[in-house]
Amino acid sequence: MELAAFDYHLPGELIAQQPLEERAASRMLVVYRDEHRWEDRHFRELPAFLRSGDCLVLNDSRVFPARLYGHREGVRSLPIGKNNPKRREYLSGEVEVFLLRAVSADGRDWEALVRPGRKMRVGERLRFAEALVGEIVDRGEFGERTIRFTGAADLLNTFEKIGHIPLPPYIKRPDEATDRERYQTVFARAKGSVAAPTAGLHFTAEILDQCRAAGAGVACVTLHVGLGTFQPLHSEQVEQARLHSERYHISAEAVASIRAASRIVAVGTTSVRTIESAWQSGQLAGETDIFIYPGFPFRAIGAMLTNFHLPRTSLLLLVCAFAGTDLALAAYRHAVEQKYRFYSYGDCMLVL
């Protein structure tokens, strides 16, 4: 299966750069798998598509400020963040570190992506604040680094203070104070993601109440979004690609609600991957590198709400696996024609 088959044309102006003023104001393309058709609706109408016995499954992982700006020790550096903190030109010894996940028992070693990558070698020391220094101690297969942090006693609290919200690179602006609230679901709880489970961004407390009033239960699972969700695939042959692992957890209470449902309605690809991983392995917590592409035998999911995804990515392949490749790509072309807003701060698709 060639990765090139999962491509589509998207004009740049359709990539949402800001969230809508109201979370629930997004459009929603409803795709009917059995009838091979779709219709243009609005997210506020979601409760009308739910029925008694459904279980709406949300990913409650919380995004933390995972993007750090600093400089290489021993290299003259200009002020960090001067003019535009998201610029791609790095002055003197200035560096950008995108934290992915802690990889040591004491929480001091972190897997990260770094820029500019070629200059960041093992042994390099990076300073981010007066009391926060990192040393590169290892290099991964795809250019990621392992950084050992010293200085700050409470690393997560320090990241919270000096870090930036890790907006995706297709959002061509610096992060703003409002992103700390809007690039976060209203039900976010467990801190650990470096990207938002974006299908959940549309929900408000009122919409969730309306879903319950429609007869649907609501359960939360946790998958901390990391490199496995958003890293580009490194093989043009789909079957040869593999994903990085990500941590997940499902409580006994959530499992009971999900198993009792007549239909599982997964909110976002991360919820799909969490549930299908648990149903496949029988493990309610651990690491998953599950890669879902056309031909995958779904064991649990009955419907899915998802945002629109980048071409040639594992996320788009997952949507094609669930909806059917021809139907999913035709629906994407319709969304482009109708000028839907795409990606993280964009509109959504409900696949029934």
Side-chain angles (χ1 to χ4, degrees):
M1 197 181 305
E2 296 294 329
L3 187 60
F6 301 90
D7 207 345
Y8 66 92
H9 172 67
L10 180 69
E13 63 268 19
L14 297 185
I15 301 174
Q17 298 297 306
Q18 296 280 356
L20 295 176
E21 188 173 341
E22 298 179 41
R23 282 182 182 267
S26 298
R27 299 167 71 189
M28 182 172 72
L29 183 63
V30 181
V31 177
Y32 299 90
R33 292 181 294 164
D34 291 343
E35 301 171 32
H36 293 272
R37 67 179 182 91
W38 55 76
E39 58 188 25
D40 301 303
R41 305 296 284 264
H42 289 86
F43 175 75
R44 291 187 189 280
E45 300 175 82
L46 175 66
F49 291 92
L50 301 178
R51 59 197 186 211
S52 180
D54 282 350
C55 185
L56 198 66
V57 181
L58 314 171
N59 180 6
D60 67 1
S61 184
R62 187 172 186 85
V63 180
F64 72 99
R67 181 171 277 117
L68 306 179
Y69 294 96
H71 65 271
R72 298 161 64 203
E73 283 202 337
V75 179
R76 181 178 174 274
S77 178
L78 297 179
I80 297 170
K82 185 178 179 181
N83 299 326
N84 180 354
K86 285 197 74 175
R87 67 194 184 284
R88 292 294 177 257
E89 295 178 6
Y90 294 86
L91 305 174
S92 300
E94 191 173 328
V95 299
E96 175 186 338
V97 169
F98 184 15
L99 300 171
L100 296 172
R101 61 174 183 166
V103 292
S104 61
D106 64 1
R108 289 278 164 180
D109 291 9
W110 282 73
E111 186 180 54
L113 301 178
V114 297
R115 290 180 174 170
R118 284 189 219 172
K119 296 182 179 179
M120 308 268 250
R121 300 182 175 88
V122 173
E124 184 93 45
R125 284 173 60 84
L126 313 171
R127 182 169 293 276
F128 302 96
E130 188 63 32
L132 184 62
V133 175
E135 180 179 348
I136 298 176
V137 296
D138 196 11
R139 177 175 180 139
E141 181 183 357
F142 298 114
E144 66 273 20
R145 307 297 201 278
T146 300
I147 300 176
R148 176 80 175 172
F149 287 97
T150 57
D154 187 336
L155 272 185
L156 288 178
N157 186 53
T158 302
F159 296 157
E160 199 71 38
K161 289 179 179 178
I162 71 170
H164 292 256
I165 290 296
L167 295 179
Y170 48 74
I171 295 181
K172 305 297 185 182
R173 62 173 176 82
D175 63 301
E176 302 167 358
T178 54
D179 291 310
R180 288 201 171 222
E181 183 259 335
R182 288 307 303 273
Y183 195 63
Q184 201 81 264
T185 64
V186 297
F187 44 81
R189 180 189 59 81
K191 187 182 295 184
S193 279
V194 299
T198 55
L201 295 179
H202 308 282
F203 284 85
T204 64
E206 292 75 19
I207 293 290
L208 285 171
D209 286 343
Q210 291 171 25
C211 292
R212 294 185 181 98
V218 177
C220 288
V221 299
T222 304
L223 183 139
H224 292 309
V225 183
L227 202 57
T229 294
F230 63 86
Q231 179 80 340
L233 297 175
H234 293 280
S235 173
E236 289 298 316
Q237 199 76 29
V238 170
E239 294 86 348
Q240 295 177 4
R242 57 188 177 86
L243 304 186
H244 284 66
S245 62
E246 296 168 311
R247 288 181 293 126
Y248 75 92
H249 172 78
I250 310 176
S251 69
E253 180 183 7
V255 166
S257 297
I258 295 169
R259 288 195 183 279
S262 57
R263 182 176 65 168
I264 299 170
V265 182
V267 175
T269 57
T270 57
S271 293
V272 173
R273 294 180 67 234
T274 303
I275 297 167
E276 292 293 336
S277 292
W279 263 237
Q280 186 180 85
S281 68
Q283 302 298 314
L284 301 184
E287 303 259 342
T288 180
D289 62 355
I290 190 170
F291 179 22
I292 298 175
Y293 55 84
F296 179 84
F298 287 91
R299 302 186 182 190
I301 304 303
M304 173 175 62
L305 180 79
T306 183
N307 276 24
F308 294 96
H309 302 293
L310 289 163
R312 302 166 64 95
T313 59
S314 64
L315 305 180
L316 179 58
L317 266 69
L318 186 154
V319 174
C320 290
F322 188 69
T325 301
D326 292 343
L327 179 61
L329 293 179
Y332 264 60
R333 290 191 291 271
H334 170 80
V336 171
E337 291 169 2
Q338 296 301 311
K339 300 190 183 304
Y340 275 68
R341 300 168 71 250
F342 274 66
Y343 304 157
S344 294
Y345 276 147
D347 296 319
C348 58
M349 172 191 287
L350 177 63
V351 186
L352 300 173

